[in-house]
Amino acid sequence: MSFYRAISALLLIAASTGGISVNAQKKVHQYVDPMIGSEGLGRVFIGPSYPFGMIKPSPDCTSSPNSGWLPDPNPVTGFSQVHVSGTGGGPKYGNIQIMPFVGALNKTEQSSMRENEHAALGYYGVTLKKDHIKAEITAAERAAIYRFTYPKKAQKALKIDAGFFLGEQPEPDAREAQQFVGSEIEIVSANEVRGYSRIRGGWNNGAAYTVFFDAVFDSPVTAYTTWKGEKLYPGKKQQFDSGEKTGVLLAFKSSLSDTLKVKIGISFISELKAKENIDQEISHWSFERVLSGVQNKWDALLSRIEINDDATLEQKTLFYTGLYHTMLMPADRTGENPLWTVDKPYYDDFYAIWDTFRSSNPLITLISPKRETEIVNALLNIYKHDGYMPDSRSGNYNGRTQGGSNAEVLIADAYVKKLPGIDYNLALEAMLKDATVPPGGNEEKEGRGGLTDYNKLGYVSYDFVRSGNRTLDYAYDDYCIAIVAKGLGKEKIYQRFIKQADNWRNLWRDDYKDHGATGFIMPKDAAGHWLDNIAYGEANNQHPTFKYTPLTREFPWYVCHWCAFFYEATSWEYSLSIPHQVPVVIAKSGGKEAFRRRLDTLFDNKYYNVANEPSFLTPCLYHWIGRPDLSSKRIRQIIAQNYNISHFGLPGNDDSGAMSSWLAFQMMGLYPNAGQSYYLINSPLLKQSILHQESGKDFKITAKNLTDKNIYIKSATLNGKPLNQAWIEHDDVIKGGELQLEMDDKPSAWGTEILPPVKY
Amino acid sequence: MSFYRAISALLLIAASTGGISVNAQKKVHQYVDPMIGSEGLGRVFIGPSYPFGMIKPSPDCTSSPNSGWLPDPNPVTGFSQVHVSGTGGGPKYGNIQIMPFVGALNKTEQSSMRENEHAALGYYGVTLKKDHIKAEITAAERAAIYRFTYPKKAQKALKIDAGFFLGEQPEPDAREAQQFVGSEIEIVSANEVRGYSRIRGGWNNGAAYTVFFDAVFDSPVTAYTTWKGEKLYPGKKQQFDSGEKTGVLLAFKSSLSDTLKVKIGISFISELKAKENIDQEISHWSFERVLSGVQNKWDALLSRIEINDDATLEQKTLFYTGLYHTMLMPADRTGENPLWTVDKPYYDDFYAIWDTFRSSNPLITLISPKRETEIVNALLNIYKHDGYMPDSRSGNYNGRTQGGSNAEVLIADAYVKKLPGIDYNLALEAMLKDATVPPGGNEEKEGRGGLTDYNKLGYVSYDFVRSGNRTLDYAYDDYCIAIVAKGLGKEKIYQRFIKQADNWRNLWRDDYKDHGATGFIMPKDAAGHWLDNIAYGEANNQHPTFKYTPLTREFPWYVCHWCAFFYEATSWEYSLSIPHQVPVVIAKSGGKEAFRRRLDTLFDNKYYNVANEPSFLTPCLYHWIGRPDLSSKRIRQIIAQNYNISHFGLPGNDDSGAMSSWLAFQMMGLYPNAGQSYYLINSPLLKQSILHQESGKDFKITAKNLTDKNIYIKSATLNGKPLNQAWIEHDDVIKGGELQLEMDDKPSAWGTEILPPVKY
């Protein structure tokens, strides 16, 4: 019996006997706080959403921020149906915006200040102060339901804006800005309005995508005014697409009720499909039923990891919100692909795999390997039809790359963790495309920019932007190709790529010293000369140069942050981001002791930033010098300094849940090295976590005697047998069993002798 | 006063006075026979169409041929709304198929044999034998009207199939085959049905495109059965898009009339836009009004070139049908671009510029320079948004290339002919993109495949498919870049590209002899070795080789015809296809006399094929050795052997009018060297042609004493002054004036001294 079914059975018993267990009193979804990370850098989506849900309705408080939402005192301009979570750079989506108001249908601007804002898992509520309307939203997978409560006897009205989108800018074709293409609106009957919004561009510079919608009302429309461009058309039912913005203002019949309920279905296929999505998912008018639907769906998923009952509320909130954030994206759009039809899963909004491959995808693999299989298969299907797997993809369009072709890591991770149902030969073909065929024209879209350089020189020269992290990423991606090739018995391919996995060394400047550390990834030109001073990006025609050091982070104002040597982070961080050859980095840094000092300098001097994904593994590097106690110490420091349950509780853009998944792993005491089959063991923050696997087998992690002081692992057993190494294999997890850690208040000899594996 | 306005005025006078001039008795559109080139290789579109019209309704007599139509005894499966003209390779379009029938709404298959088929400009009519229904079609630009005449008292019925398309094949993703993505159908009211068809792939391997439609009827629907997949749904109004084929069978009210009229609007934007297209273009129910609309539109355009009244009917038919075929494509889709919105012209179905740049576009430039300006601006707009200008484009998607990036020629041609309203600096940027940035992943889509080779070695090596004609095309494209750069004062760019214009010489094998000729374009490997024996395409792993000679045309069965050294034609033809350096080719061939022998061998031995566009200029090459009489002789032979007014009257795929425009030019006695500013003068087939230019200025070409025997030019005058050269400048044409040729029955000294220019 699965955990979910067990819980259901338990609740049934509880309900029938009148008895209520402690577990049943508070469901796990109630520990999720969608507002964590909503302010500051986090930029998480705060509205209701299914796991990997397609519709993501949320208030828009400006046209610019990525999630749409901003804190008070910014006005709410309306509620649009599609958003992404935790992203940086230019916005995407914000389509089909609706807004309730009171009074005459004579203006399209209906912004309002707000009060009593409340977001919970699956629920968003707010009072719009302008017209004293309470707005509530909950969502199914592809359809949402809104409940608007108007003041008594007020003239209930609603705006549907098919022309709105996030990030509109006055300049045509401004980089990273979405651009309007077209929209349409049609009043189909007294209870139904349809239309679409067609937008191009945005963060990934995508081709046009179309969000179709169907909206139905529980009360008949009594009057309507459509608009096109600036002009209002009272009583006109249709506004065809002439490349201008369209929308409608609707008035509703006064009735006994002061509420108006609106169901909105969206689709990337058609208006009738949007209608079908409503019919399939919300065939009734009960707001509460939809709400319990989304809660139950999340409960089933979140409770796959059960943590100790006596965890603090803060711990529960941090942990389950972390899991929640991890599973908001990519969006499951199976059956909603307007580009091709196949009987295969389709996911969109990979945003970006560069961000998520390290911890988000491995966490999904633990919670729902079937889901991760679907995600990998979606990548392969995109490869088959679009020519390349994406590193990012949004609005049905690949783009853009930040560094590597990191789908390779997802595939290797799936392969070494033995996910079934994936055509690994096809996957190898897709990876080889990345590694051998330059993407051409737009080197930011997919594949590997600077590939000709990389394949000729063994590194990407400074002729190309982001040559530092491209080289590092490609080397690790090549390692991933090698591992899969080897497993498939393709010896020649293995030999080539395992050799290329060393390519990071071609940018490793052995003799370079900085703040006591030796050896750094540094820029090199195509002729093989190290560059102490570098010309920056697009300013080449002026030939200004700047001294480049391993701490260089700031670039002159005229250099786009995409055009530097590294994307995010410094050489101090990147030089340690070689996940397949940590012992080589240690040796090149001068050995274990020098490496420890290097790590200490990194952390003590605050050269480290957990908000940069390439640094995710770094605090665990102490493991490779036999000091897992130091890994645990640093991780605790990082969490304490960077994570909390406030609106500002995330250290950087959540990046589709990357920050959150890092935290969730660390709280359990495990951390993956994505693309490889093991997990490093750290001191958990939780006394116990039980992974109720899809297979039905449980894997339990217990930290005996864990207290605020007892933060060091003294000893460990796996299924009762002593475990003297600070890592376990994925196989150990999937077999089920228990990892028991005995905690103490001082570092011990545990885990100091058998170092984490390096697999070739 | 323009010719059009003059004609209108004339007709007005004629009408008011009761007098009818000879010209007014038969309008020029009546000389157009859409069936010329419909059988055999021509593959022209035979249905009604506006000039550059978006809707192209036509019967489909199989799912495979490019134009949809096939001669009897193939059944008609229905009438679909979008087709292309004269294309080879895999099909494209064939969307939204309708079919009238009689009886019960119980099956979707309604094919019928036919009789009394008749096609005229703007009109198609046929009797469907199965149910004795007469079907007639005429079209506006984006909407068509059908008139179906049923047997008396029959149960009038109509099928609308949103799932049909040309070229369906059982294998998924078969190369060049269209693939189904989705469709939708909805009965909106008793008089209206809407829906769409979404298809991907086809000849250019394009991404999905959507053809939306709106259909209205002059009689109410009394019963309907929709379908999805194999299943019929009587009385069900909507079939949403679930990735299956949908359609509807409709029954209509019996009324006094036996006819049913159906108006169909299409759109690449939306269903409401399709409806708007009907409303804008066919706001009434008069079949005749629509028919005269399309006839008048063509009359205005075709009569821009007025030919001598006493030309034979065959001459008139050949000439005006030639003009007509030239202006069926590309499709003017301004305001119908689903990818971006700008206040700029948008054209689709460039299919391919490789085919049309030589004669079709130059002919359009003469007839309507404004139209050619729009076409060039559309290319630039595509470059701005999609990254590259297309060589081919269909279904809003670039692809594929046959050889060069020949938009360069269109731009140079516009530039040297001084077309106003084009941003030539932007055009230079777009051309430089082609010439410097490899297109990447899919080298068949756009830009220049094998570019790294070309830019490194100065030729495309045999490592790449089509390395022969790619090298030749790129060299000429580079010449075009050089000419524009020079004109814009970009000296450095000019120097680079004028040098690259010599690159064809790197594949010219000086000492190679064949059938008495010396020097041929031959394959070379990347190391610089000539290849006498070549490994063919995809069979490289078997290492079979074949002797390659300048006459090699047939390739082993397993080599795709895209994968050979040349695309279409042999080295005998291609080696003479160096339009910017004819004198060099002459010198390299051994001088004038040797070159004459070479040309004679080419024509006499039938190594020449006018159906291959690279050979279009070849018969004029005698001009460069001072023998324009031989050019004229050969051209007359070619026309006599290859062109006639039968259904088989075109020598090869018409290729969007390429074959037809070549003929029209030659009939007037002019032939352009596209990308350069002059026209070669040949013996006309017509005694007189007057170009009534958009500017209002007339340019007249007269052949005095032209008879079947007097086919040689004895002397010429331009505006009364002796002209001793066998070419004129475009400037001479646009200034207006008269070119008078005096004909004789033997070759003369005319044109033998001053050879055609070579401009650098």
Side-chain angles (χ1 to χ4, degrees), chain A residues 181 184 186 194 196 198 200 238 240 269-270 272 275-276 338-339 341 438 441, chain B residues 181 184 186 194 196 198 200 238 240 269-270 272 275-276 338-339 341 438 441:
Chain A
V181 178
E184 203 158 277
E186 182 182 18
R194 292 184 202 163
Y196 68 76
R198 187 170 289 145
R200 65 185 171 88
Q238 298 175 333
F240 77 94
I269 297 279
S270 74
L272 291 188
K275 178 176 154 70
E276 173 72 11
L339 299 173
T341 307
Chain B
V181 178
E184 202 158 279
E186 183 183 14
R194 293 184 201 163
Y196 68 76
R198 187 169 288 146
R200 64 185 172 86
Q238 298 175 334
F240 77 93
I269 297 280
S270 74
L272 291 187
K275 179 176 154 68
E276 172 71 13
L339 299 173
T341 308

CSV table of all heavy atoms in Angstrom, one decimal, chain A residues 181 184 186 194 196 198 200 238 240 269-270 272 275-276 338-339 341 438 441, chain B residues 181 184 186 194 196 198 200 238 240 269-270 272 275-276 338-339 341 438 441:
chain,number,residue,atom,x,y,z
A,181,VAL,N,1.8,40.3,-30.9
A,181,VAL,CA,1.6,39.9,-32.3
A,181,VAL,C,0.1,40.0,-32.7
A,181,VAL,O,-0.2,40.6,-33.7
A,181,VAL,CB,2.0,38.4,-32.5
A,181,VAL,CG1,1.8,38.0,-34.0
A,181,VAL,CG2,3.5,38.3,-32.3
A,184,GLU,N,-7.6,38.3,-30.1
A,184,GLU,CA,-8.9,38.2,-30.6
A,184,GLU,C,-9.9,38.0,-29.5
A,184,GLU,O,-9.5,37.4,-28.4
A,184,GLU,CB,-9.0,37.0,-31.6
A,184,GLU,CG,-10.1,37.1,-32.6
A,184,GLU,CD,-9.9,36.3,-33.9
A,184,GLU,OE1,-9.2,36.8,-34.8
A,184,GLU,OE2,-10.4,35.2,-33.9
A,186,GLU,N,-14.3,37.2,-28.6
A,186,GLU,CA,-15.6,37.0,-29.2
A,186,GLU,C,-16.5,36.6,-28.0
A,186,GLU,O,-16.3,35.7,-27.2
A,186,GLU,CB,-15.5,35.8,-30.2
A,186,GLU,CG,-16.8,35.5,-30.8
A,186,GLU,CD,-16.8,34.4,-31.8
A,186,GLU,OE1,-15.8,33.6,-31.7
A,186,GLU,OE2,-17.7,34.2,-32.6
A,194,ARG,N,-14.7,33.9,-25.7
A,194,ARG,CA,-13.5,33.2,-26.1
A,194,ARG,C,-12.5,34.2,-26.7
A,194,ARG,O,-12.8,35.3,-27.1
A,194,ARG,CB,-13.8,32.3,-27.3
A,194,ARG,CG,-14.6,31.1,-27.1
A,194,ARG,CD,-14.6,30.4,-28.4
A,194,ARG,NE,-15.7,29.5,-28.5
A,194,ARG,CZ,-16.2,29.0,-29.6
A,194,ARG,NH1,-15.6,29.3,-30.8
A,194,ARG,NH2,-17.2,28.2,-29.6
A,196,TYR,N,-8.0,34.9,-27.8
A,196,TYR,CA,-6.6,34.4,-27.7
A,196,TYR,C,-5.6,35.6,-27.6
A,196,TYR,O,-6.0,36.7,-28.0
A,196,TYR,CB,-6.1,33.5,-28.8
A,196,TYR,CG,-6.1,34.1,-30.2
A,196,TYR,CD1,-5.0,34.9,-30.5
A,196,TYR,CD2,-7.0,33.9,-31.1
A,196,TYR,CE1,-4.9,35.5,-31.8
A,196,TYR,CE2,-7.0,34.4,-32.4
A,196,TYR,CZ,-5.9,35.2,-32.7
A,196,TYR,OH,-5.8,35.8,-34.0
A,198,ARG,N,-1.6,36.4,-28.8
A,198,ARG,CA,-0.4,35.8,-29.5
A,198,ARG,C,0.8,36.8,-29.3
A,198,ARG,O,0.7,38.0,-29.6
A,198,ARG,CB,-0.7,35.7,-31.0
A,198,ARG,CG,0.3,35.0,-31.8
A,198,ARG,CD,-0.2,34.6,-33.2
A,198,ARG,NE,-1.2,33.6,-33.2
A,198,ARG,CZ,-2.2,33.5,-34.0
A,198,ARG,NH1,-2.5,34.4,-34.9
A,198,ARG,NH2,-3.1,32.5,-33.9
A,200,ARG,N,5.3,37.2,-29.0
A,200,ARG,CA,6.6,36.6,-29.4
A,200,ARG,C,7.6,37.2,-28.4
A,200,ARG,O,7.4,38.2,-27.7
A,200,ARG,CB,6.9,36.8,-30.8
A,200,ARG,CG,7.1,38.3,-31.2
A,200,ARG,CD,7.3,38.5,-32.7
A,200,ARG,NE,7.3,39.9,-33.0
A,200,ARG,CZ,8.3,40.7,-32.9
A,200,ARG,NH1,9.5,40.3,-32.6
A,200,ARG,NH2,8.2,42.0,-33.1
A,238,GLN,N,-17.6,40.7,-31.7
A,238,GLN,CA,-16.4,40.1,-32.1
A,238,GLN,C,-15.3,41.2,-32.4
A,238,GLN,O,-15.7,42.2,-33.0
A,238,GLN,CB,-16.6,39.3,-33.4
A,238,GLN,CG,-17.5,38.1,-33.3
A,238,GLN,CD,-17.8,37.4,-34.6
A,238,GLN,OE1,-17.7,38.1,-35.7
A,238,GLN,NE2,-18.2,36.2,-34.5
A,240,PHE,N,-12.0,40.8,-34.5
A,240,PHE,CA,-11.0,39.9,-35.2
A,240,PHE,C,-9.6,40.4,-35.0
A,240,PHE,O,-9.4,41.6,-34.6
A,240,PHE,CB,-11.4,39.7,-36.6
A,240,PHE,CG,-11.0,40.9,-37.5
A,240,PHE,CD1,-9.8,40.9,-38.2
A,240,PHE,CD2,-11.9,41.9,-37.6
A,240,PHE,CE1,-9.5,41.9,-39.0
A,240,PHE,CE2,-11.5,43.0,-38.4
A,240,PHE,CZ,-10.3,43.0,-39.1
A,269,ILE,N,-3.5,25.2,-28.1
A,269,ILE,CA,-3.9,24.6,-29.3
A,269,ILE,C,-5.1,25.3,-29.9
A,269,ILE,O,-5.0,25.7,-31.1
A,269,ILE,CB,-4.5,23.1,-28.9
A,269,ILE,CG1,-3.4,22.2,-28.4
A,269,ILE,CG2,-5.2,22.5,-30.1
A,269,ILE,CD1,-2.5,21.6,-29.4
A,270,SER,N,-6.1,25.6,-29.2
A,270,SER,CA,-7.3,26.3,-29.8
A,270,SER,C,-8.3,26.7,-28.7
A,270,SER,O,-8.1,26.3,-27.5
A,270,SER,CB,-8.0,25.3,-30.7
A,270,SER,OG,-8.7,24.3,-29.9
A,272,LEU,N,-11.5,25.9,-28.6
A,272,LEU,CA,-12.3,24.8,-28.3
A,272,LEU,C,-11.6,23.8,-27.3
A,272,LEU,O,-12.2,23.2,-26.5
A,272,LEU,CB,-12.8,24.0,-29.5
A,272,LEU,CG,-13.9,24.8,-30.4
A,272,LEU,CD1,-14.4,23.8,-31.5
A,272,LEU,CD2,-15.0,25.4,-29.6
A,275,LYS,N,-11.9,25.3,-24.0
A,275,LYS,CA,-13.3,25.0,-23.5
A,275,LYS,C,-13.3,23.5,-23.0
A,275,LYS,O,-13.8,23.2,-21.9
A,275,LYS,CB,-14.3,25.2,-24.6
A,275,LYS,CG,-15.7,24.9,-24.3
A,275,LYS,CD,-16.6,25.2,-25.5
A,275,LYS,CE,-17.8,24.4,-25.6
A,275,LYS,NZ,-18.8,24.8,-24.6
A,276,GLU,N,-12.7,22.6,-23.8
A,276,GLU,CA,-12.7,21.2,-23.4
A,276,GLU,C,-11.9,21.1,-22.1
A,276,GLU,O,-12.3,20.2,-21.2
A,276,GLU,CB,-12.0,20.4,-24.5
A,276,GLU,CG,-11.7,19.0,-24.2
A,276,GLU,CD,-12.9,18.1,-24.1
A,276,GLU,OE1,-14.0,18.6,-24.6
A,276,GLU,OE2,-12.8,17.0,-23.6
A,338,PRO,N,1.2,22.7,-30.0
A,338,PRO,CA,0.7,23.1,-31.3
A,338,PRO,C,1.6,22.8,-32.5
A,338,PRO,O,1.3,23.1,-33.6
A,338,PRO,CB,0.5,24.6,-31.1
A,338,PRO,CG,1.6,25.0,-30.1
A,338,PRO,CD,1.7,23.8,-29.2
A,339,LEU,N,2.8,22.2,-32.2
A,339,LEU,CA,3.8,22.0,-33.2
A,339,LEU,C,3.8,20.6,-33.8
A,339,LEU,O,4.2,20.4,-35.0
A,339,LEU,CB,5.2,22.3,-32.7
A,339,LEU,CG,5.3,23.7,-32.2
A,339,LEU,CD1,6.7,23.9,-31.5
A,339,LEU,CD2,5.2,24.7,-33.3
A,341,THR,N,2.0,16.3,-33.2
A,341,THR,CA,1.2,15.4,-32.4
A,341,THR,C,1.9,14.1,-32.3
A,341,THR,O,2.2,13.5,-33.3
A,341,THR,CB,-0.2,15.2,-33.1
A,341,THR,OG1,-0.7,16.5,-33.5
A,341,THR,CG2,-1.1,14.4,-32.3
A,438,PRO,N,27.4,22.4,-34.6
A,438,PRO,CA,27.3,23.8,-34.2
A,438,PRO,C,25.8,24.3,-34.4
A,438,PRO,O,25.3,24.0,-35.5
A,438,PRO,CB,28.3,24.6,-35.0
A,438,PRO,CG,29.2,23.6,-35.5
A,438,PRO,CD,28.5,22.4,-35.7
A,441,GLY,N,23.6,30.1,-36.8
A,441,GLY,CA,23.0,31.5,-36.7
A,441,GLY,C,22.9,32.1,-35.3
A,441,GLY,O,23.7,33.0,-34.9
B,181,VAL,N,-1.1,17.7,-37.6
B,181,VAL,CA,-0.9,18.2,-36.2
B,181,VAL,C,-2.2,18.3,-35.5
B,181,VAL,O,-2.4,17.7,-34.4
B,181,VAL,CB,-0.1,19.5,-36.2
B,181,VAL,CG1,0.0,20.0,-34.7
B,181,VAL,CG2,1.3,19.4,-36.8
B,184,GLU,N,-9.8,21.4,-36.3
B,184,GLU,CA,-11.0,21.7,-35.5
B,184,GLU,C,-12.1,22.1,-36.4
B,184,GLU,O,-11.9,22.6,-37.5
B,184,GLU,CB,-10.6,22.8,-34.5
B,184,GLU,CG,-11.5,22.9,-33.3
B,184,GLU,CD,-10.8,23.7,-32.1
B,184,GLU,OE1,-10.0,23.1,-31.5
B,184,GLU,OE2,-11.1,24.9,-32.0
B,186,GLU,N,-16.4,23.6,-36.2
B,186,GLU,CA,-17.5,24.1,-35.4
B,186,GLU,C,-18.6,24.7,-36.2
B,186,GLU,O,-18.4,25.5,-37.1
B,186,GLU,CB,-17.0,25.2,-34.4
B,186,GLU,CG,-18.0,25.7,-33.4
B,186,GLU,CD,-17.6,26.8,-32.6
B,186,GLU,OE1,-16.5,27.4,-32.8
B,186,GLU,OE2,-18.2,27.1,-31.6
B,194,ARG,N,-16.9,27.0,-39.0
B,194,ARG,CA,-15.5,27.5,-38.9
B,194,ARG,C,-14.6,26.3,-38.5
B,194,ARG,O,-15.1,25.3,-38.0
B,194,ARG,CB,-15.3,28.4,-37.7
B,194,ARG,CG,-16.0,29.7,-37.8
B,194,ARG,CD,-15.6,30.4,-36.5
B,194,ARG,NE,-16.5,31.5,-36.2
B,194,ARG,CZ,-16.6,32.1,-35.0
B,194,ARG,NH1,-15.8,31.6,-34.0
B,194,ARG,NH2,-17.4,33.0,-34.8
B,196,TYR,N,-10.1,24.9,-38.5
B,196,TYR,CA,-8.8,25.0,-39.0
B,196,TYR,C,-8.1,23.7,-39.2
B,196,TYR,O,-8.6,22.7,-38.7
B,196,TYR,CB,-7.9,25.9,-38.0
B,196,TYR,CG,-7.6,25.2,-36.7
B,196,TYR,CD1,-6.7,24.2,-36.5
B,196,TYR,CD2,-8.3,25.6,-35.5
B,196,TYR,CE1,-6.4,23.6,-35.3
B,196,TYR,CE2,-8.0,25.1,-34.3
B,196,TYR,CZ,-7.1,24.1,-34.2
B,196,TYR,OH,-6.8,23.5,-33.0
B,198,ARG,N,-4.1,22.2,-39.0
B,198,ARG,CA,-2.7,22.5,-38.6
B,198,ARG,C,-1.8,21.4,-39.1
B,198,ARG,O,-2.0,20.2,-38.7
B,198,ARG,CB,-2.7,22.7,-37.1
B,198,ARG,CG,-1.3,23.2,-36.6
B,198,ARG,CD,-1.4,23.6,-35.1
B,198,ARG,NE,-2.2,24.8,-34.9
B,198,ARG,CZ,-3.0,25.1,-33.9
B,198,ARG,NH1,-3.1,24.2,-32.9
B,198,ARG,NH2,-3.6,26.2,-33.8
B,200,ARG,N,2.4,20.2,-40.4
B,200,ARG,CA,3.8,20.5,-40.4
B,200,ARG,C,4.5,19.8,-41.5
B,200,ARG,O,3.9,18.9,-42.1
B,200,ARG,CB,4.4,20.2,-39.0
B,200,ARG,CG,4.4,18.8,-38.7
B,200,ARG,CD,4.9,18.5,-37.3
B,200,ARG,NE,4.7,17.1,-37.0
B,200,ARG,CZ,5.6,16.1,-37.3
B,200,ARG,NH1,6.7,16.4,-37.9
B,200,ARG,NH2,5.3,14.9,-37.0
B,238,GLN,N,-19.5,20.7,-32.3
B,238,GLN,CA,-18.1,21.1,-32.2
B,238,GLN,C,-17.2,19.8,-32.1
B,238,GLN,O,-17.6,18.9,-31.5
B,238,GLN,CB,-17.9,21.9,-30.9
B,238,GLN,CG,-18.6,23.2,-30.9
B,238,GLN,CD,-18.4,23.9,-29.5
B,238,GLN,OE1,-18.2,23.3,-28.5
B,238,GLN,NE2,-18.5,25.2,-29.5
B,240,PHE,N,-13.5,19.6,-30.9
B,240,PHE,CA,-12.2,20.3,-30.5
B,240,PHE,C,-11.0,19.5,-31.0
B,240,PHE,O,-11.1,18.4,-31.4
B,240,PHE,CB,-12.2,20.5,-29.0
B,240,PHE,CG,-11.9,19.3,-28.2
B,240,PHE,CD1,-10.5,19.1,-27.8
B,240,PHE,CD2,-12.8,18.4,-27.9
B,240,PHE,CE1,-10.2,17.9,-27.1
B,240,PHE,CE2,-12.5,17.3,-27.1
B,240,PHE,CZ,-11.2,17.0,-26.8
B,269,ILE,N,-4.1,33.6,-39.5
B,269,ILE,CA,-4.1,34.3,-38.2
B,269,ILE,C,-5.2,33.7,-37.3
B,269,ILE,O,-4.9,33.3,-36.2
B,269,ILE,CB,-4.5,35.8,-38.5
B,269,ILE,CG1,-3.4,36.5,-39.3
B,269,ILE,CG2,-4.8,36.5,-37.2
B,269,ILE,CD1,-2.2,36.9,-38.5
B,270,SER,N,-6.4,33.6,-37.8
B,270,SER,CA,-7.5,33.2,-37.0
B,270,SER,C,-8.8,32.9,-37.8
B,270,SER,O,-8.9,33.3,-38.9
B,270,SER,CB,-7.8,34.2,-35.9
B,270,SER,OG,-8.5,35.3,-36.5
B,272,LEU,N,-11.7,34.3,-37.0
B,272,LEU,CA,-12.5,35.5,-37.2
B,272,LEU,C,-11.8,36.4,-38.3
B,272,LEU,O,-12.5,37.1,-39.0
B,272,LEU,CB,-12.5,36.3,-35.9
B,272,LEU,CG,-13.4,35.8,-34.8
B,272,LEU,CD1,-13.5,36.8,-33.6
B,272,LEU,CD2,-14.8,35.4,-35.3
B,275,LYS,N,-13.1,35.1,-41.5
B,275,LYS,CA,-14.5,35.6,-41.7
B,275,LYS,C,-14.4,37.1,-42.2
B,275,LYS,O,-15.1,37.5,-43.1
B,275,LYS,CB,-15.2,35.6,-40.3
B,275,LYS,CG,-16.6,36.1,-40.3
B,275,LYS,CD,-17.2,35.9,-38.9
B,275,LYS,CE,-18.3,36.9,-38.5
B,275,LYS,NZ,-19.5,36.8,-39.3
B,276,GLU,N,-13.5,37.8,-41.6
B,276,GLU,CA,-13.3,39.2,-42.0
B,276,GLU,C,-12.9,39.2,-43.5
B,276,GLU,O,-13.3,40.1,-44.2
B,276,GLU,CB,-12.2,39.8,-41.1
B,276,GLU,CG,-11.7,41.2,-41.5
B,276,GLU,CD,-12.8,42.3,-41.3
B,276,GLU,OE1,-13.8,42.0,-40.6
B,276,GLU,OE2,-12.6,43.4,-41.8
B,338,PRO,N,1.3,35.2,-38.8
B,338,PRO,CA,1.0,34.8,-37.4
B,338,PRO,C,2.3,35.0,-36.5
B,338,PRO,O,2.2,34.7,-35.3
B,338,PRO,CB,0.6,33.4,-37.5
B,338,PRO,CG,1.3,32.9,-38.7
B,338,PRO,CD,1.4,34.0,-39.6
B,339,LEU,N,3.4,35.4,-37.0
B,339,LEU,CA,4.6,35.3,-36.3
B,339,LEU,C,5.0,36.7,-35.7
B,339,LEU,O,5.7,36.8,-34.7
B,339,LEU,CB,5.8,34.8,-37.1
B,339,LEU,CG,5.6,33.4,-37.6
B,339,LEU,CD1,6.6,33.0,-38.6
B,339,LEU,CD2,5.5,32.4,-36.5
B,341,THR,N,4.0,41.2,-36.0
B,341,THR,CA,3.1,42.3,-36.6
B,341,THR,C,4.0,43.5,-36.9
B,341,THR,O,4.7,44.0,-36.0
B,341,THR,CB,2.1,42.7,-35.6
B,341,THR,OG1,1.4,41.6,-35.1
B,341,THR,CG2,1.1,43.7,-36.2
B,438,PRO,N,27.5,30.6,-40.4
B,438,PRO,CA,27.0,29.3,-40.8
B,438,PRO,C,25.6,29.1,-40.2
B,438,PRO,O,25.3,29.5,-39.1
B,438,PRO,CB,28.0,28.3,-40.2
B,438,PRO,CG,29.2,29.1,-40.0
B,438,PRO,CD,28.7,30.5,-39.7
B,441,GLY,N,22.9,23.7,-37.2
B,441,GLY,CA,22.2,22.5,-37.2
B,441,GLY,C,21.6,21.9,-38.5
B,441,GLY,O,22.0,20.9,-39.0
